[in-house]
Amino acid sequence: MIRVVVTGAAGRMGREVVKAVSRTPGMQLVGAVDPGHTGQDVGLLAGIGPLGLMVRDDLANVLRETEASVMVDFTTPHAAVANIKTALACGVRPVVGTTGIPQEEIEELKKICREKRLGGLIAPNFALGAVLMMHFAGIAARYFPDVEIIEYHHHQKLDAPSGTALQTAEIIARSRQGGPAEDRTEVEKLDGARGGNLEGVRIHSIRLPGFVAHQEVIFGGLGQTLTIRHDSTSRESFMPGVIMAIKKVLELEELVYGLDKLIFG
Ligand code: NAP
């Protein structure tokens, strides 16, 4: 049995994780942490009926008392970093979906994992289709250096651009030889009209009710465009990746960034 604690258990993603872990053979949900919902039954919050497991706010105690082996975190960047450090101090492996964690924090967490020889995973996107989209974008970038990204998310998403868009841009930047075909001098008549720029890859972020998580990577060439698009139409799309990560993180001895590393090696 893999003993799992969920942080951010009352949130949109946390509730899905509670459902998925509870239904997966070989896993046991042993703890739920979310300071704004202490004392509530986590099963009721997730809409699957009472589990007799109450939400708490004292993560370190929960991890120790439950002898957890994995912590799954979908919270906020600030909370996630603190939660990961607590988990590692307790010898518990973190599986983290929270986006917007600054790069320097990730480097520090990698160092702690190396020192403790503890595995962990931070993935900006747990949907298999999104991982494939990024992989295909990396291949296409070798042939089409001109590319822009449009990402669409629900209006309550706090960070922009999305972690997926940033990771896609990094993959493209690493993969393409040189920069975009033409170095244009542009006039931006409205600040931000051309989006953010990561190593020459433009990223445009849409935030509207009705969306879950979607992304288009548009490559432009002579007389043609190539669009690679992925749509998460429900948060269930992330769960097979989360469940896979909970299993695989037990074999890791370092902090890995990106689900692609687990899928493609
Ligand atoms: P959400 O609905 O706001 O849920 C976050 C939950 O964490 C809230 O209940 C929040 O409580 C709680 N929280 C805050 N501080 C905490 C702490 N110190 N310890 C434990 N819980 C704490 O957000 P969401 O839509 O689930 O998204 C969460 C994160 O996952 C975001 O960064 C989002 O971008 C990311 N995400 C990742 C993926 C992926 O595949 N990697 C997919 C979707 C979303 P309060 O509301 O009371 O503050």
Side-chain angles (χ1 to χ4, degrees), residues 8 11-13 34-35 74-75 79 83 97-99 123-126 157 238:
R12 286 177 289 264
M13 287 298 289
D34 200 311
F74 283 91
T75 57
N83 291 344
T98 306
T99 57
N125 203 317
F126 278 100
K157 183 169 175 59
F238 305 113

Side-chain angles (χ1 to χ4, degrees), residues 96-151:
V96 180
T98 306
T99 57
I101 299 176
Q103 190 56 38
E104 58 273 19
E105 297 280 13
I106 292 174
E107 293 308 322
E108 194 195 334
L109 295 167
K110 279 186 176 171
K111 192 165 161 263
I112 300 172
C113 282
R114 262 197 309 273
E115 283 163 7
K116 291 188 170 285
R117 301 195 66 166
L118 264 180
L121 175 81
I122 300 177
N125 203 317
F126 278 100
L128 176 62
V131 175
L132 287 172
M133 167 192 64
M134 290 186 255
H135 185 65
F136 297 151
I139 296 171
R142 289 187 219 144
Y143 308 96
F144 289 91
D146 286 282
V147 51
E148 304 208 0
I149 296 170
I150 309 176
E151 53 100 342

